[in-house]
Amino acid sequence: MVKSIFITQPDKAVEYRALGFWKDQTVYERVRQAALVDPDKLAIIDSERRFTYADVLRTIDTIAGNLLALGLPKGSVVAVQCKNAAELPLMHMAAQRIGLLYIPLHDSWRATEVEHTLSRSEAKALIIPGVYRDFDHGAMIQEMIGRLPLQHVFVLDGKPGPFRDFAELLKPHSYSGADLDAQRPDPDHPATVMLSGGTTSLSKISLWSSNNLLDALDGYAKAVGYGPSDVTAAIAPAGTGATGYVYGLLSPLLFGGTSVILPRWKEPEEAIQMILAYRCTHGIGIPTQLTMMVPGLQQRKPADFSFFKVFTNAGAPLTTETARQVEHLMGCKIQTLYGATDAGTAIMTTIEDPEEKRLTTAGRVVPGFECMLWNAEGLEVPAGAAGEVVWRGPSKSWTYLNDLVNSRAVFTADGFYRSGDLGQFDEQGYLRIVGRIKDMVLRGGRNISPRTIEEPMMAHPSVLEFAVAAMPDPVLGERACAFAMLKPGKSLTFEEMITFLTEAKLAIWQMPERLEIVEDMPRSTGAKIAKGQLTAMVTAKLKAEGKLPA
């Protein structure tokens, strides 16, 4: 059950309603509204099935009735672990329809992350694959189930073992539409969850009401010009309910569009082929995906993508060079979302913004939001100065589920969220993110901003992705260590990196003092690079090399 305090002040709730940001609809009601306009239109396409809007409504009602028959009290948690597929929005809408709280679990999560989230959320029902990608999810749950409050476990692939078959949730039931309508949740109550954080610890469970979430997605649709004729390529990770889910899978269903779901990111060519095959007009991706797609896009002509209009980037900054390449190769516009899984999208660009602003900034403050830059004492910094980005607004989340300690650490008493990002507004009100407070490398008393090093290195012809994290040093406290993912067939030496940064006029004291070549970067649930894990990686190597005490 939900044990968290809604931090939006009563006067702000009144204001949000008066200004039209909160419309007091549920997320399900918006999907139903879109479905009634054109019930025969395709709503969801995944790797195995197609659902019209009429199919979506029928399936939602079928699952909702069977969930209702389980006798779970309102506010109970239903968790779902599966690949990117139609089950994610369908289970979400079915749970939300009758006042249950849906929690997604990433398909790559194993016992530690899964047990933490199920325990913290006090989940009563769970949907899992039996065996997926050679991993036995059923055995994992069987081992931990005695430690959890789970009452019902359903298995998706028809081999339930000791659990129940998901097909049971798709059988006819005796509940009418009126019975389901009678369970309608308050649009101010939690309606969905996004699992956030994870760069330094296990994920936190961010709560969102229908009013919060619908305001966020209405703002996004306006920024990109989304409408019923549009088709979204959902290629970003969706399994934690964050950007890849709400903007890629869910958002099209609110506006009468179509969501085409990539089940799992493996090769960039698969995403390109999907966009071409279904004539997608929009795409949602993270920077690494867009960067990896460039070579494949170069093998085609911009005319091949004449139907494609907007690629939305989220999760981390996209380099200006890659943004320009994607725009040129696809004949589209790059649009950027900036915010936090914990607290919504406070800043974004729009397709109407000048090119230079779209490609080099995070955008401007979203209508209805209050966004400021604070110093360490919580005071607003002077105009033009950098400070911690903080905000509150109509699409900011509740606090964390069953987690008062972390809630108090980042949410102020009057409803502001402290992002931990360092930002700077220009004279036109566009925000540039210049670093992370916790990511700063403190070398001998001087702060080194990783972004200062990362931005020029992303222009290196060999680099696919680049990150800088602190490594411990017995004399200076910390030094900067660089981590590079390379493009296929490319190489990079420490000396080449230093030469490149010297030509970019980076100060000597800011130079990285070690280079690690990695196959992939560890990431948080929101797709941000987990700098803490990079530090742990290099610390272990330094100990093995005898450069730090074991």
Side-chain angles (χ1 to χ4, degrees):
M1 297 293 288
V2 175
K3 300 176 183 175
S4 193
I5 300 170
F6 191 23
I7 61 169
T8 297
Q9 304 301 296
D11 59 325
K12 300 304 294 184
V14 171
E15 176 185 325
Y16 297 152
R17 285 185 168 86
L19 293 174
F21 295 119
W22 286 4
K23 301 177 178 66
D24 290 324
Q25 287 180 299
T26 68
V27 178
Y28 163 74
E29 286 166 349
R30 281 289 295 275
V31 174
R32 181 168 64 183
Q33 180 178 307
L36 294 176
V37 174
D38 191 354
D40 295 327
K41 182 179 179 181
L42 278 175
I44 303 171
I45 300 171
D46 70 10
S47 59
E48 300 166 352
R49 298 149 299 176
R50 296 185 174 206
F51 293 82
T52 66
Y53 273 93
D55 295 333
V56 166
L57 290 190
R58 281 194 296 269
T59 307
I60 289 171
D61 276 11
T62 299
I63 296 173
N66 285 303
L67 289 175
L68 187 59
L70 298 179
L72 301 176
K74 272 194 173 183
S76 296
V77 169
V78 177
V80 179
Q81 184 176 41
C82 72
K83 63 185 178 183
N84 289 5
E87 280 79 9
L88 295 174
L90 293 173
M91 284 301 306
H92 176 200
M93 292 300 98
Q96 200 265 329
R97 174 119 164 75
I98 58 172
L100 302 178
L101 185 60
Y102 155 89
I103 289 185
L105 307 173
H106 198 280
D107 65 1
S108 68
W109 282 7
R110 299 299 179 249
T112 299
E113 300 95 337
V114 170
E115 184 168 0
H116 162 78
T117 306
L118 294 177
S119 177
R120 174 60 59 84
S121 67
E122 301 179 4
K124 296 295 189 295
L126 172 67
I127 289 87
I128 56 169
V131 176
Y132 175 60
R133 292 171 59 191
D134 299 322
F135 180 78
D136 193 332
H137 291 258
M140 174 183 68
I141 298 302
Q142 182 68 17
E143 189 280 327
M144 69 177 69
I145 196 166
R147 301 188 294 273
L148 297 170
L150 280 174
Q151 299 173 3
H152 308 277
V153 179
F154 297 89
V155 177
L156 284 164
D157 57 15
K159 299 177 182 178
F163 303 121
R164 301 170 67 179
D165 195 326
F166 180 76
E168 292 183 36
L169 296 180
L170 300 175
K171 292 180 178 179
H173 55 74
S174 60
Y175 293 102
S176 66
D179 293 330
L180 301 179
D181 289 342
Q183 303 298 315
R184 179 185 188 266
D186 188 323
D188 275 350
H189 288 179
T192 190
V193 156
M194 300 184 203
L195 299 172
S196 62
T199 57
T200 57
S201 62
L202 292 169
S203 291
K204 299 178 285 292
I205 305 170
S206 298
L207 296 168
W208 295 70
S209 74
S210 285
N211 276 326
N212 297 147
L213 190 56
L214 289 176
D215 178 72
L217 298 181
D218 284 343
Y220 169 70
K222 184 176 180 180
V224 300
Y226 200 91
S229 62
D230 287 309
V231 179
T232 293
I235 69 170
T240 58
T243 300
Y245 172 69
V246 295
Y247 293 106
L249 274 69
L250 178 61
S251 182
L253 306 183
L254 305 180
F255 304 102
T258 303
S259 177
V260 185
I261 305 171
L262 184 71
R264 175 175 165 239
W265 175 269
K266 292 181 290 186
E267 297 293 335
E269 182 63 23
E270 292 180 350
I272 295 172
Q273 290 285 1
M274 188 180 82
I275 290 170
L276 291 169
Y278 294 101
R279 297 182 65 81
C280 297
T281 61
H282 288 67
I284 309 289
I286 61 175
T288 304
Q289 292 176 315
L290 271 67
T291 302
M292 293 177 70
M293 287 172 66
V294 167
L297 296 175
Q298 289 172 333
Q299 304 304 311
R300 296 169 169 86
K301 299 175 182 178
D304 296 338
F305 300 95
S306 59
F307 44 84
F308 195 83
K309 298 186 290 188
V310 181
F311 223 130
T312 292
N313 170 66
L318 181 67
T319 66
T320 303
E321 178 188 11
T322 298
R324 290 192 195 282
Q325 285 180 307
V326 173
E327 286 203 348
H328 171 71
L329 294 169
M330 299 187 78
C332 67
K333 289 186 177 180
I334 292 290
Q335 186 264 343
T336 296
L337 301 171
Y338 167 75
T341 302
D342 314 58
T345 302
I347 305 281
M348 68 172 70
T349 61
T350 78
I351 58 175
E352 304 301 327
D353 284 328
E355 179 180 330
E356 190 270 336
K357 300 296 185 183
R358 280 191 301 98
L359 302 187
T360 65
T361 77
R364 291 192 284 191
V365 179
V366 171
F369 269 80
E370 302 163 75
C371 184
M372 296 180 287
L373 305 179
W374 286 359
N375 63 19
E377 289 72 42
L379 301 175
E380 197 165 2
V381 302
E388 182 183 8
V389 188
V390 300
W391 66 78
R392 67 179 178 183
S395 63
K396 183 180 63 58
S397 69
W398 288 44
T399 48
Y400 303 123
L401 177 64
N402 301 341
D403 193 351
L404 193 57
V405 171
N406 278 315
S407 295
R408 286 175 172 169
V410 297
F411 294 96
T412 67
D414 53 354
F416 282 92
Y417 171 74
R418 304 195 66 153
S419 70
D421 289 330
L422 290 172
Q424 192 170 14
F425 283 108
D426 66 18
E427 293 180 352
Q428 289 78 44
Y430 289 88
L431 179 70
R432 285 181 169 82
I433 302 301
V434 297
R436 283 281 297 171
I437 294 172
K438 291 182 180 179
D439 290 347
M440 287 291 186
V441 179
L442 186 58
R443 183 188 189 278
R446 301 183 77 173
N447 280 328
I448 298 174
S449 169
R451 286 289 296 276
T452 305
I453 307 167
E454 292 163 355
E455 287 189 358
M457 279 305 300
M458 282 302 298
H460 193 286
S462 295
V463 169
L464 178 63
E465 193 159 17
F466 194 88
V468 172
M471 61 180 175
D473 182 85
V475 177
L476 296 173
E478 293 179 340
R479 296 178 187 264
C481 180
F483 298 80
M485 282 176 61
L486 303 181
K487 296 175 181 176
K490 299 293 185 179
S491 63
L492 179 69
T493 67
F494 178 84
E495 291 74 19
E496 289 169 343
M497 174 185 71
I498 296 300
T499 298
F500 193 83
L501 290 171
T502 300
E503 292 173 352
K505 307 204 182 317
L506 194 73
I508 293 176
W509 63 271
Q510 294 177 304
M511 295 286 183
E513 296 176 76
R514 185 180 176 108
L515 172 65
E516 295 286 336
I517 305 298
V518 296
E519 292 186 3
D520 197 4
M521 298 284 185
R523 301 180 194 280
S524 73
T525 54
K528 293 181 173 65
I529 294 175
K531 297 290 184 75
Q533 293 183 42
L534 293 178
T535 293
M537 183 192 308
V538 71
T539 299
K541 284 196 170 188
L542 290 169
K543 289 179 179 179
E545 294 167 2
K547 297 175 182 176
L548 286 176

